[in-house]
Amino acid sequence: MTTAPVAPFPWADVWGQEDAVETLRTAASDPASMSHAWLITGPPGSGRSTLAYAFAAALISSGADDEHTMRQVLAGTHPDVTALRTDKVIITIAEARSLVERSYFAPSTGRYRVIVVEDADRMVERTSNVLLKALEEPPERTVWVLCAPSEADLLPTIRSRVRSLRLREPDVADVARLITLRTGVDEATAEQAARHAQRHIGMAQRLATDDAARRRRDDTLRSVLGVRGVRDAVDVAGTIIQVATEDAKALTAERDEAERASLLRTVGVAEGQAVPQALRAQVSALEDEQRKRATRSLRDGIDRVLTDLQSLYRDVVMLQYGRGDDLINRELAPELSALAADWPVARTLVVLDHLTETRESLERNVAALLALESLLVTIASGRKP
């Protein structure tokens, strides 16, 4: 495995992005290299947010030796950094307006005020337009840092007002080494997790440390490979939705309960006590936010399944073209080789096209169960319904 050089604090947690780190380190220390607004793009798991907060820490601190301030920024407790991250489907106009208002405040203690938008791709057009004026006429000491998978995820009017920085996708070997260092798992498990996660660092870490997650992924892929007709398609689609729903609940339930308990403590309601009528609106608003987050979590889980399926049929195409040395799902090589021999290339491409269309449909709020059933019928028949 290759060994990437470790950058100094606060950049040490940015993995495999030496060029991007150098660009932002230079900007933070040299006003001539500075821009008032940045767009950091890269594939999921490439470290966009980690890099954004390291940049914010370097901007706000008084210099390389101001470690206390940098640690405050990275901990999310410094008053001069405002962050927007959302677990919901979209960023609302109200949230965007709040950011714009904050952007006009002068820094309280640091050199700059930094506004970080982690999920800038989740802004619809009306919401994006709220940011335009702030990006066109920014205060002298405010810096915007937007994060998104690609430039195409933002409006051209936004892209024209920011300086873009594209992150590279880390190698499987680099991700595996990082996972081993962070978690202590053996190299084989880390390599498999990095490969199955397609170099997404967060997902690789979860796969490496969660036996149940690895089993669910394997069971899902094998069940899809076993689909032979409409009945199978309906059964497997239902199972995928059920598993994704249970997984989403597991990921959000503990946080939801902690948030509710914290709110009730804040307003003086003891555990087990009925919520007074005057406070029910606050509790209801929290529950509404949690439902939106659960919807996003479920959608992300289903999208993860579709990403895994894309890797499966990508491997089939690779085998059909004689490129079996670079499979993502090596553990399924016998089944994939049999499928590659049995199917014409055109059929595999139809499946891959339908996978892409299914992901796009889910972003448009198409019923997930129906979309998956349609996809699995295509897999079983080689034809779109």
Side-chain angles (χ1 to χ4, degrees):
M1 295 184 182
T2 58
T3 301
V6 177
F9 190 80
W11 310 94
D13 286 338
V14 181
W15 193 264
Q17 305 293 346
E18 291 79 20
D19 292 343
V21 166
E22 184 58 31
T23 296
L24 294 181
R25 285 183 67 187
T26 300
S29 60
D30 179 10
S33 302
M34 192 58 192
S35 174
H36 71 280
W38 297 77
L39 171 60
I40 301 175
T41 63
S46 58
R48 300 185 303 255
S49 298
T50 303
L51 181 60
Y53 290 113
F55 184 37
L59 286 171
I60 292 172
S61 68
S62 60
D65 59 345
D66 187 8
E67 187 171 318
H68 175 71
T69 295
M70 290 189 282
R71 290 195 180 278
Q72 277 189 299
V73 173
L74 296 181
T77 59
H78 197 283
D80 289 334
V81 62
T82 301
L84 176 59
R85 60 181 69 86
T86 183
D87 295 310
K88 298 177 292 185
V89 176
I90 62 170
I91 293 172
T92 65
I93 289 180
E95 288 171 325
R97 285 175 176 158
S98 177
L99 282 185
V100 170
E101 290 174 4
R102 294 285 298 177
S103 74
Y104 286 100
F105 294 172
S108 57
T109 62
R111 293 188 298 150
Y112 291 94
R113 175 169 297 280
V114 182
I115 312 293
V116 178
V117 183
E118 290 191 24
D119 305 290
D121 54 306
R122 294 185 185 177
M123 293 187 295
V124 297
E125 183 173 355
R126 288 181 303 162
T127 307
S128 297
N129 287 335
V130 172
L131 298 185
L132 280 179
K133 182 174 177 57
L135 293 176
E136 288 171 342
E137 302 173 6
E140 182 180 353
R141 296 171 63 194
T142 292
V143 179
W144 287 82
V145 185
L146 312 181
C147 302
S150 72
E151 291 188 18
D153 292 314
L154 278 73
L155 294 178
T157 47
I158 294 287
R159 299 199 301 266
S160 67
R161 291 164 173 81
V162 299
R163 179 175 172 184
S164 291
L165 192 64
R166 175 73 181 177
L167 304 188
R168 74 174 185 87
E169 197 167 9
D171 296 331
V172 168
D174 287 337
V175 174
R177 178 173 176 271
L178 175 61
I179 297 306
T180 297
L181 289 173
R182 283 184 175 178
T183 68
V185 301
D186 61 88
E187 292 184 2
T189 300
E191 188 278 335
Q192 183 192 71
R195 179 164 36 85
H196 286 178
Q198 298 177 65
R199 297 167 284 189
H200 185 300
I201 294 172
M203 183 55 63
Q205 185 162 322
R206 185 181 181 201
L207 288 175
T209 57
D210 189 337
D211 291 340
R214 293 199 297 273
R215 284 196 302 272
R216 283 195 297 271
R217 183 184 187 278
D218 185 68
D219 290 345
T220 297
L221 296 188
R222 291 182 184 277
S223 66
V224 170
L225 287 172
V227 171
R228 295 292 181 269
V230 173
R231 181 182 294 275
D232 290 341
V234 172
D235 290 345
V236 172
T239 300
I240 290 173
I241 295 295
Q242 180 181 354
V243 170
T245 301
E246 292 172 354
D247 198 31
K249 287 180 179 178
L251 289 172
T252 59
E254 184 176 345
R255 179 177 174 183
D256 288 352
E257 183 60 33
E259 287 177 342
R260 180 182 173 87
S262 176
L263 173 62
L264 294 180
R265 283 196 306 271
T266 300
V267 297
V269 178
E271 184 177 352
Q273 180 182 344
V275 178
Q277 180 71 35
L279 300 176
R280 289 178 186 173
Q282 290 176 262
V283 175
S284 178
L286 173 63
E287 291 173 345
D288 184 55
E289 289 297 307
Q290 291 175 340
R291 280 193 294 272
K292 291 176 181 177
R293 184 168 65 210
T295 298
R296 182 75 243 180
S297 181
L298 174 58
R299 182 177 294 181
D300 288 346
I302 295 171
D303 188 70
R304 185 69 237 173
V305 171
L306 295 175
T307 300
D308 290 335
L309 292 180
Q310 284 182 319
S311 78
L312 193 73
Y313 293 101
R314 170 264 188 198
D315 284 351
V316 174
V317 169
M318 296 290 284
L319 288 166
Q320 288 171 328
Y321 281 103
R323 295 289 304 278
D325 56 340
D326 188 30
L327 299 184
I328 294 171
N329 301 283
R330 294 175 193 163
E331 297 74 15
L332 296 172
E335 293 89 339
L336 298 178
S337 295
L339 197 60
D342 188 45
W343 281 11
V345 174
R347 176 170 175 174
T348 313
L349 295 178
V350 167
V351 170
L352 285 169
D353 285 345
H354 202 165
L355 272 161
T356 299
E357 292 168 4
T358 301
R359 295 181 72 178
E360 293 171 349
S361 296
L362 292 177
E363 286 297 323
R364 297 194 298 270
N365 291 323
V366 170
L369 181 59
L370 294 178
L372 283 174
E373 287 175 351
S374 175
L375 170 65
L376 294 176
V377 167
T378 295
I379 289 174
S381 65
R383 300 182 302 274
K384 294 182 183 180

